Amino acid sequence: MELTGKTAIITGANTGIGFETALDLYKKGAKVYVACRNEEKAQDAMVRMKAQSDGGELVYGHLDLASLKSVKEFADKIIETESSLDLLVNNAGVMIPPPSKSEDGYELQFGVNFIGHFALTGHLFNLLESTKGARVVTLSSIAHRGARIDFENFRLEKEYNNWREYGQSKLADIIFALEFEKRLRKNGHQTISLAAHPGFSKTDLQKYMDKDMLASLELMTAKEGAQPTLAACLREDAQGGQYWGPDGPDEQKGKPDIAKVDAVALDEKLNTKLWDWAKKQTEVNFPF
């Protein structure tokens, strides 16, 4: 697919799945915003992308998803600079760090993986909606299975459990993608919302994982793990509300296909409650 003239934002594009997603879109001719907190790492990633291809255009954008102020500043710059936005890929993530909080006081994984991306999408909504065929792709994880949303534990009110908190953040991500799509369709908008997950892929996300546990896993490369995201971004048969992941056993590896959404993410009452809570907390301008 030729993407000349198209504009994409990839959060966390300096490494792993985000890097491979950005590289693929850049190779296809898109203008790609490498949206990251660390400019040095982003510039290094852009040099590596350019070494692999003469593609479209690469632009660094400073974005710290752990700060709602930074999210708004980044979005304001995009709105100032761009007249259209074809793709927003909510990719960046934190996994099982030591107990810590975002600038706004949320448990870090919940703050970065969900709250930051919810706010970013809200701030950019009008630009997306004014761009024919715009897509928003939000990264979830196999870890959303069996997780739960605990409204009493978004700010580390309870004793920290790294995997429980990660699961909650990734469950919130898929709920966001599905609830967003539902509201888009109900209100007659043209943008579509999809979700994706990379199965088990080797990336910097695993830096806090137990080394023996990591060694026991069969991991795909980051390039292989990025394929479900790219399918959600680019495939003409991809539709709003779909969740893409690998097609192998337990969706751990394989080729991109429609993945299974855990029943826990399909509770309409819960999903409405989480959306309304997040909209109030972030004060973003979703029209619904």
Side-chain angles (χ1 to χ4, degrees):
M1 183 187 279
E2 171 61 37
L3 298 178
T4 303
K6 306 282 190 186
T7 302
I9 295 171
I10 320 292
T11 68
N14 60 302
T15 185
I17 305 300
F19 176 90
E20 295 295 346
T21 303
L23 175 62
D24 190 277
L25 300 178
Y26 165 68
K27 280 181 173 178
K28 290 180 168 69
K31 178 179 184 179
V32 179
Y33 278 87
V34 176
C36 311
R37 189 182 58 201
N38 186 311
E39 181 171 4
E40 193 181 331
K41 288 180 179 176
Q43 295 289 358
D44 175 64
M46 288 158 64
V47 167
R48 285 184 286 126
M49 287 181 207
K50 287 173 183 172
Q52 293 190 47
S53 170
D54 286 329
E57 187 182 348
L58 293 170
V59 183
Y60 168 67
H62 176 73
L63 173 65
D64 181 357
L65 287 157
S67 162
L68 289 174
K69 181 172 176 280
S70 172
V71 171
K72 184 164 193 318
E73 286 170 355
F74 170 79
D76 286 347
K77 280 181 186 161
I78 296 292
I79 292 161
E80 236 174 70
T81 310
E82 299 298 335
S83 58
S84 60
L85 178 57
D86 301 272
L87 274 172
L88 171 59
V89 183
N90 292 322
N91 163 84
V94 189
M95 186 172 82
I96 62 166
S100 41
K101 290 186 178 183
S102 72
E103 185 179 285
D104 307 284
Y106 301 106
E107 186 277 317
L108 189 66
Q109 295 170 100
F110 192 73
V112 169
N113 300 354
F114 170 58
I115 294 282
H117 284 125
F118 182 96
L120 179 63
T121 308
H123 290 312
L124 294 173
F125 177 75
N126 290 337
L127 185 58
L128 287 157
E129 186 55 24
S130 70
T131 309
K132 190 170 185 285
R135 299 185 189 190
V136 177
V137 179
T138 300
L139 273 283
S140 183
S141 164
I142 291 170
H144 90 274
R145 298 179 193 161
R148 61 184 288 261
I149 300 294
D150 182 354
F151 286 86
E152 309 303 316
N153 193 30
F154 291 162
R155 295 178 177 271
L156 272 181
E157 291 93 340
K158 298 181 180 176
E159 190 176 345
Y160 182 65
N161 178 313
N162 56 3
W163 283 109
R164 182 188 68 202
E165 268 56 284
Y166 179 66
Q168 172 171 259
S169 75
K170 287 291 148 183
L171 173 57
D173 278 333
I174 194 163
I175 288 173
F176 166 51
L178 297 175
E179 184 68 15
F180 186 26
E181 173 63 18
K182 178 181 160 186
R183 290 172 186 242
L184 287 165
R185 300 290 70 77
K186 187 179 174 185
N187 293 281
H189 295 284
Q190 65 87 32
T191 304
I192 64 170
S193 167
L194 306 91
H197 80 84
F200 285 180
S201 301
K202 186 168 176 53
T203 70
D204 286 353
L205 201 61
Q206 289 123 4
K207 65 182 175 185
Y208 297 113
M209 274 183 76
D210 177 80
K211 298 293 178 281
D212 291 337
M213 183 183 174
L214 205 51
S216 71
L217 300 174
E218 255 193 81
L219 301 173
M220 292 194 293
T221 64
K223 184 175 182 177
E224 290 168 331
Q227 297 312 305
T229 301
L230 288 164
C233 287
L234 301 174
R235 279 180 57 153
E236 287 183 20
D237 60 344
Q239 297 173 10
Q242 288 178 337
Y243 178 41
W244 286 80
D247 64 357
D250 206 31
E251 299 176 12
Q252 291 178 12
K253 54 194 297 192
K255 302 277 190 264
D257 203 351
I258 303 300
K260 184 179 183 296
V261 177
D262 197 88
V264 72
L266 302 173
D267 180 334
E268 291 194 17
K269 193 174 171 187
L270 171 74
N271 295 5
T272 298
K273 184 180 177 183
L274 182 63
W275 179 281
D276 292 344
W277 177 89
K279 188 179 175 186
K280 186 178 177 186
Q281 295 292 314
T282 56
E283 300 177 341
V284 290
N285 59 347
F286 282 113
F288 37 65

